[in-house]
Amino acid sequence: MVDTRTEGFEEFVRSVERRLEHALVAAFGVDIGLDAAAEALSYGWQHWDRISAMENPAGYLYRVGHNHASKAVRRPTRLPRPEQSEMPWIEPALPDALDNLPEKQRVAVLLVHTFGYSLAEAADVLGVAKGTLQTHVARGLANLRKTLGVTNA
Amino acid sequence: MPDLIDQLAAYRPHIDAAIDEAHSDTRTIDAPGSQPTGQFLPASTEIERSIDHDTIESPVSSTVRRLLVAAAAAAVLIIGVSVVERDGSPENIAANTPVPAESATSSTSVPESTTVPTTTPVASPAETVKAYFAASNERDSQETLALLDPDATIYGHPRLETWTAHRPLADAAIRGDVRAGTVHEVTADDPSPGASNYEFVGTFHFALRRTDTQGTTCFPHASVHVSDGLIVNLIYGNPALCDENVASGLGNLSTGGRRDDPRVDLGRDPAMLRT
């Protein structure tokens, strides 16, 4: 027997869980990002009555996860490194360049261009305006091109 | 070089694979008292098994259960009493760490409360136990965990950085005010650094450095995570198994020679610990 509260939360989880994980992994790396996502969703369940009434529950829980990870992280973010033999088409310097981006730019670029979310979806989970996210994406791409010496648009 | 946008898109499968791999994190599962089997099961399986289903008062869906288990894995309570000297060898650590008198007794005198009673009150949603990790600083906390954790396969390794030091408890433990099997309550009012982000209410068991009947130091410890209708009872090392763990090599991490990288998944290859 599952009550309506639980059903509502489950539906919410189905719609945002992976996106929340992607956003927090982009911000903090895989291990800390996933821990933060688990913490955020657990918090979401515990406070669902309040959070479900919010305009943007996903964005709120991203902040919950972000705060959780921020208090614990004492090292720079390190994204997974592909083996060159497995993915030779990926520029070896790309992960380093992404790691070194300012966090907001890295998260924006990864959500939109790596994980393939629309600007609206990415802005929603981050709890920011679409225009703000677009600015982060543009600046992030510009920084990456500069770092990697890429000139094409 | 392919276009940057194409490269970014091509990066996704690798990150997703890393996420999926992290979700299926593994640890060694051995029945109490048995010799290590080296069998690998998902970490969440162990936690799931340890859930006391009789204490669940409200219907909890599989999704919620999975989330709470994941959060428990991410926020495991481990309280340690061992202080690792920055430049200390394992031997120095053993020599320098104060051992409360009770801990030096034979492991046959097991503290009465080595598991969390099933009658532990179910916490309200606001009374969620979160993680602490007691140690003097980050570096030491990592090393201390490797020493404290007889299995050393617990979600620790790369995630150690997410655990928060809880100095008052660590200090109390170092003073010998905390004993294995004793109960200590931490309230939401606890002013300790790192506590502000959490609501600290719960009943915890503490790790304790002790010497077993063979004269070998081992580190039995236990913890409990209580969350919204679920009691996730996590037992990491049992004083009763101290001798067995030491005998099998699993508990004797202080001579395992792996202190340089405590994030190594010690438990995944028990044979390496026997040297």
Side-chain angles (χ1 to χ4, degrees):
Chain A
M1 182 180 66
V2 177
D3 57 25
T4 53
R5 175 187 188 272
T6 302
E7 283 178 347
F9 180 72
E10 287 189 339
E11 186 177 344
F12 171 75
V13 169
R14 280 193 293 272
S15 68
V16 306
E17 183 178 21
R18 195 62 164 180
R19 206 164 14 133
L20 191 63
E21 287 181 348
H22 279 152
L24 289 165
V25 164
F28 298 104
V30 171
D31 294 306
I32 293 171
L34 291 182
D35 281 356
E39 284 288 337
L41 288 171
S42 175
Y43 182 91
W45 163 246
Q46 292 153 23
H47 302 272
W48 184 237
D49 291 340
R50 177 170 58 89
I51 292 173
S52 61
M54 293 179 176
E55 188 179 342
N56 181 2
Y60 181 82
L61 290 185
Y62 175 76
R63 297 311 307 174
V64 169
H66 192 280
N67 288 343
H68 172 80
S70 297
K71 288 188 181 290
V73 171
R74 299 183 180 92
R75 63 173 186 181
T77 297
R78 184 172 164 83
L79 295 167
R81 263 58 179 167
E83 289 290 335
Q84 274 303 293
S85 57
E86 295 172 4
M87 297 184 174
W89 53 88
I90 291 185
E91 162 62 40
L94 179 61
D96 279 338
L98 283 165
D99 286 348
N100 291 327
L101 281 180
E103 183 194 308
K104 288 178 180 175
Q105 293 179 17
R106 178 175 62 251
V107 173
V109 167
L110 284 171
L111 282 179
V112 173
H113 288 294
T114 297
F115 298 122
Y117 296 110
S118 69
L119 285 172
E121 289 171 326
D124 180 66
V125 77
L126 297 177
V128 300
K130 206 163 80 171
T132 304
L133 181 80
Q134 206 161 11
T135 301
H136 291 321
V137 171
R139 288 178 180 168
L141 289 176
N143 278 335
L144 284 176
R145 290 193 172 101
K146 184 179 175 185
T147 303
L148 298 172
V150 180
T151 55
N152 56 325
Chain B
M1 186 173 88
D3 180 72
L4 176 61
I5 301 299
D6 293 339
Q7 292 219 24
L8 285 167
Y11 195 23
R12 174 172 185 166
H14 186 73
I15 299 182
D16 277 342
I19 290 173
D20 292 340
E21 184 182 356
H23 276 311
S24 60
D25 196 7
T26 59
R27 60 167 297 185
T28 306
I29 306 292
D30 289 310
S34 67
Q35 291 298 307
T37 62
Q39 180 184 10
F40 301 143
L41 291 173
S44 57
T45 303
E46 176 73 346
I47 300 175
E48 179 72 21
R49 284 177 178 174
S50 67
I51 293 174
D52 184 349
H53 294 269
D54 293 337
T55 63
I56 300 174
E57 289 185 337
S58 58
V60 180
S61 71
S62 58
T63 299
V64 173
R65 183 187 303 277
R66 176 177 61 79
L67 291 173
L68 292 176
V69 167
V76 166
L77 166 71
I78 294 181
I79 301 298
V81 301
S82 178
V83 177
V84 181
E85 296 294 334
R86 276 194 168 280
D87 55 352
S89 65
E91 290 74 21
N92 286 338
I93 295 165
N96 293 333
T97 304
V99 181
E102 287 181 16
S103 70
T105 59
S106 161
S107 66
T108 55
S109 59
V110 178
E112 285 184 11
S113 179
T114 57
T115 58
V116 178
T118 56
T119 53
T120 302
V122 174
S124 74
E127 296 173 330
T128 301
V129 178
K130 296 294 183 182
Y132 322 98
F133 184 66
S136 54
N137 58 41
E138 179 190 9
R139 175 176 178 274
D140 285 356
S141 72
Q142 293 182 4
E143 294 182 345
T144 306
L145 179 67
L147 291 171
L148 283 171
D149 183 353
D151 293 323
T153 46
I154 302 163
Y155 332 102
H157 27 108
R159 299 184 182 175
L160 282 175
E161 293 81 353
T162 69
W163 296 4
T164 308
H166 191 60
R167 288 180 183 276
L169 282 179
D171 292 343
I174 291 165
R175 288 195 307 269
D177 294 342
V178 178
R179 303 278 195 278
T182 59
V183 172
H184 189 99
E185 279 206 355
V186 186
T187 71
D189 297 328
D190 195 309
S192 64
S196 59
N197 197 34
Y198 304 123
E199 297 160 352
F200 284 145
V201 178
T203 301
F204 310 135
H205 292 254
F206 296 100
L208 186 61
R209 178 179 172 277
R210 56 182 288 141
T211 303
D212 79 348
T213 53
Q214 302 173 26
T216 308
T217 301
C218 55
F219 303 92
H221 57 284
S223 65
V224 62
H225 179 104
V226 184
S227 182
D228 193 28
L230 287 180
I231 292 181
V232 182
N233 185 3
L234 306 173
I235 303 299
Y236 294 153
N238 185 330
L241 302 180
C242 199
D243 279 329
E244 285 84 349
N245 282 339
V246 171
S248 70
L250 279 173
N252 193 13
L253 300 182
S254 63
T255 56
R258 304 289 292 276
R259 292 180 63 245
D260 289 340
D261 185 4
R263 289 177 292 179
V264 170
D265 189 359
L266 291 163
R268 287 181 182 172
D269 186 2
M272 296 182 71
L273 299 175
R274 299 194 183 104
T275 56

